[in-house]
Amino acid sequence: MTPRDASDANDNRWSDLDRPPLNGTALRRALIREGGLWRDVRVTPHTGSTNSDLVALATDEKADEGVVLVAEEQNAGRGRLDRQWTAPARSGLFFSVLLRPTGVPVERWGWLPLLTGVAVATALSKVAGVDTALKWPNDLLVSVGGEERKTGGILAERAGNDAVVVGIGINVTLREDELPVPGAGSLALAGATTTDRDTVLRAVLRSLEQWYEKWRAAGGDPAASGLQETYAAGCATLGRVVRAELPGGTSITGEAVAVDGDGRLVLATEEGVQQPVGAGDIVHLRPA
């Protein structure tokens, strides 16, 4: 789907005064700099999926590395396993970034969603005062009334031979009666010190730029860049007994003991086997 222009006269951008629209001009002024990663920040009022739009642009070679596409509202946003991600207009941050990690072996590109999780969690802690934990591989967790809830997710997709589009969704001002599913949360419900989406988006993109450049400078080495250690320190999955629901309908239960050099979750099973899991749904069965 082609994004509609932000000046669309039929779009009532001020329909909810508690949720003002993003300021694209101010975002570009704050984020685009000579020698920096971000080349353009495009804000659109409506689209199906920012990931789908940006993958299409990258595949057609109509977007360079560093393009950021932000939607005020998505009606076909996707999470892992093609799960739908929906939220009221301007209640969150729904955006995708285009990366071309030249110089990094393709086998290390699987670290990009984990890197993004670290960057987002770091930014939310600093700018909004919200402790954000990471559920392997791509969920962002916050505490609401002492309960662990998902407030965001990350989806990485290949775009052609040399690019990756990373999509990020963060619930910012969702109220309790707006939550799409049990177990969902938002920054507002977690007691964030700010829910200004311009401020949060700037912080997340600056943090992502810093981590991406550090990782790329290390040739994508997760240990040398500090990424593997930092991810493990913030991963709420480690130390828990979990069930990994694998593609094909099988599952493995065990204690999550490590994230290995390939970004896989390592489970210690009751049979004494350490089993790496590269893909699947993880269910937390016991608190750490």
Side-chain angles (χ1 to χ4, degrees), residues 37-52:
L37 173 62
W38 307 122
R39 306 288 181 83
D40 193 11
V41 181
R42 307 173 186 178
V43 180
T44 183
H46 308 284
T47 195
S49 161
T50 57
N51 254 39
S52 295

Side-chain angles (χ1 to χ4, degrees), residues 223-245:
S225 63
L227 176 58
Q228 186 174 3
E229 180 181 5
T230 305
Y231 184 88
C235 182
T237 302
L238 293 180
R240 285 180 157 158
V241 174
V242 304
R243 182 174 66 251
E245 298 176 347

Side-chain angles (χ1 to χ4, degrees), residues 51-73:
N51 254 39
S52 295
D53 292 340
L54 200 47
V55 166
L57 290 171
T59 302
D60 292 341
E61 299 185 353
K62 295 180 179 178
D64 296 325
E65 179 175 57
V67 169
V68 182
L69 180 60
V70 191
E72 297 283 35
E73 183 179 23

